[in-house]
Amino acid sequence: MSTRHLDHADTLELPVTGDGPFDFLHTVWKPSHFATGLEAHTATRSWRTFRIGDLVTGVRMRAEDRLVIADIYTDGDYKPNHREHLVRRLTASYGLDEDLSHFTELASAVPEMSEPLKALSGMRQSCPEDHFEIAVVALLLQNVTIARTTQMTRNLLTHHGQLVHFDDITLRAWFTPAELAHVSADTLKDQDRLGYRAKTLPHFATFFRDHPAEELQAADDLVQTFQQIKGVGPYTAAIMASHASRNPATFGMDVWNRKILARRLLNADDAKPEAVSRRLSELFPGHAGTAGLYFVEHEHLEAPVAPLLAPDGIAAWNQALEPPAA
């Protein structure tokens, strides 16, 4: 895979318009998230790639109080509609217009939330992936360890995605549904080592190729909509919908998150998902998803899955991603 070099094309200034505190670091970097090569973070900077149709963009972000400054890099034909799309995408991806004040008020009255709120106050939900991308992540998280998910994600991005370099950092970029739709299930199984998921992923690619983001955003019930995809049941559809819709009242609960919340809220090693969800909703009506996020991220804060980069560690990061010289 050759590396595409992206040039600076624009600078966006994105105000945090939602009420409540704002924590830039923990909004863009989540300690529980596994390494994909799609993004990298230091204590003060964040880099991420975004696909806007066929356009590949790199974004470097930093914050000055309640203003997020995003420098845009690309090697494509960057147009005003791309700028408008990125303003909307970044604002939604990082919850810059979401009101955290009510959640913060609720959380301050719940003793179990005392430590997470102190450490993470102002952290917003983040989902930089679009509907298709979060669907792929949800599929790769099914019934496996984080190590296995990381391996499958790396395989897919290496074989079917892009490798880009901008602002002195190298990152991977997603493939689009159209780019993946022609890849056979056999290739996904044998080359990318996806196991049973190899049969499902082509259906994902076809569905999202034929259902644009605007149509999905207008859907009344994303859980039902996503179950139109062959191989997607209620559980996976709920994970996809909760992330894609950014609904603060819903939390996509896997077996690991369930155990964390059972310990924090029910003083038990594990519990049924319904019991955990019920307790979250009782304590944080309308904000169970945000509360679940705070508990899970606080659990990983001291030992993050993908630690922050030191400023002098970027060269080693780049070397690990870039292909060896021929």
Side-chain angles (χ1 to χ4, degrees):
M1 178 189 296
S2 60
T3 304
R4 300 174 64 168
H5 290 264
L6 312 182
D7 297 320
H8 187 266
D10 198 2
T11 298
L12 308 178
E13 294 188 351
L14 307 171
V16 179
T17 58
D19 288 342
F22 176 62
D23 179 342
F24 172 75
L25 174 60
H26 295 111
T27 293
V28 297
W29 171 69
K30 296 297 191 289
S32 74
H33 288 188
F34 62 93
T36 60
L38 295 164
E39 60 186 18
H41 315 275
T42 67
T44 59
R45 295 287 188 274
S46 179
W47 296 266
R48 171 82 196 197
T49 56
F50 292 86
R51 294 298 302 267
I52 308 174
D54 293 333
L55 193 70
V56 180
T57 63
V59 180
R60 180 191 64 191
M61 290 178 287
R62 60 186 176 88
E64 295 180 359
D65 296 323
R66 295 179 69 86
L67 183 70
V68 174
I69 300 169
D71 286 294
I72 312 302
Y73 298 77
T74 184
D75 65 351
D77 186 10
Y78 183 76
K79 298 178 179 179
N81 64 298
H82 294 131
R83 185 180 214 269
E84 294 166 5
H85 181 106
L86 275 170
V87 168
R88 294 193 302 269
R89 178 90 178 261
L90 293 171
T91 299
S93 292
Y94 300 105
L96 304 184
D97 57 352
E98 292 182 356
D99 184 351
L100 265 190
S101 59
H102 188 215
F103 164 75
T104 302
E105 182 180 351
L106 287 171
S108 64
V110 177
E112 294 90 342
M113 184 59 83
S114 176
E115 291 186 8
L117 188 62
K118 182 179 179 180
L120 301 170
S121 178
M123 175 180 70
R124 275 105 195 293
Q125 294 190 44
S126 59
C127 185
E129 292 81 15
D130 65 15
H131 291 81
F132 169 63
E133 294 160 1
I134 199 60
V136 174
V137 172
L139 178 66
L140 300 183
L141 282 168
Q142 281 183 356
N143 306 317
V144 291
T145 64
I146 291 297
R148 176 77 173 102
T149 297
T150 302
Q151 177 195 53
M152 290 187 289
T153 305
R154 184 183 300 117
N155 290 345
L156 281 172
L157 291 172
T158 299
H159 297 142
H160 311 292
Q162 306 276 351
L163 195 65
V164 301
H165 186 84
F166 66 98
D167 193 44
D168 297 327
I169 198 162
T170 299
L171 293 178
R172 300 196 187 282
W174 277 103
F175 39 81
T176 66
E179 290 167 353
L180 197 69
H182 71 278
V183 179
S184 70
D186 287 342
T187 296
L188 295 170
K189 180 179 179 181
D190 298 335
Q191 174 184 264
D192 301 313
R193 307 294 298 276
L194 297 194
Y196 73 87
R197 300 162 193 81
K199 293 183 178 180
T200 304
L201 194 52
H203 298 300
F204 277 41
T206 301
F207 178 86
F208 287 99
R209 182 195 63 195
D210 298 339
H211 294 76
E214 294 78 10
E215 177 184 330
L216 294 172
Q217 288 166 355
D220 293 331
D221 189 338
L222 276 177
V223 174
Q224 290 297 323
T225 299
F226 287 149
Q227 286 183 75
Q228 298 174 25
I229 306 170
K230 187 176 181 180
V232 174
Y235 170 78
T236 300
I239 296 286
M240 292 159 55
S242 66
H243 284 79
S245 67
R246 301 186 55 85
N247 184 347
T250 63
F251 186 67
M253 198 176 306
D254 59 28
V255 62
W256 313 111
N257 293 347
R258 188 185 73 217
K259 290 181 177 181
I260 290 170
L261 294 171
R263 290 196 302 271
R264 294 290 186 103
L265 297 176
L266 301 173
N267 196 27
D269 291 335
D270 201 354
K272 293 182 178 180
E274 296 80 7
V276 175
S277 295
R278 183 167 55 250
R279 185 58 176 159
L280 266 179
S281 295
E282 289 172 353
L283 292 172
F284 306 96
H287 297 274
T290 307
L293 176 72
Y294 269 66
F295 282 123
V296 168
E297 298 308 328
H298 185 255
E299 183 82 6
H300 291 85
L301 193 56
E302 294 302 317
V305 178
L308 292 170
L309 289 177
D312 60 359
I314 292 176
W317 166 276
N318 291 344
Q319 187 176 12
L321 278 185
E322 291 170 352

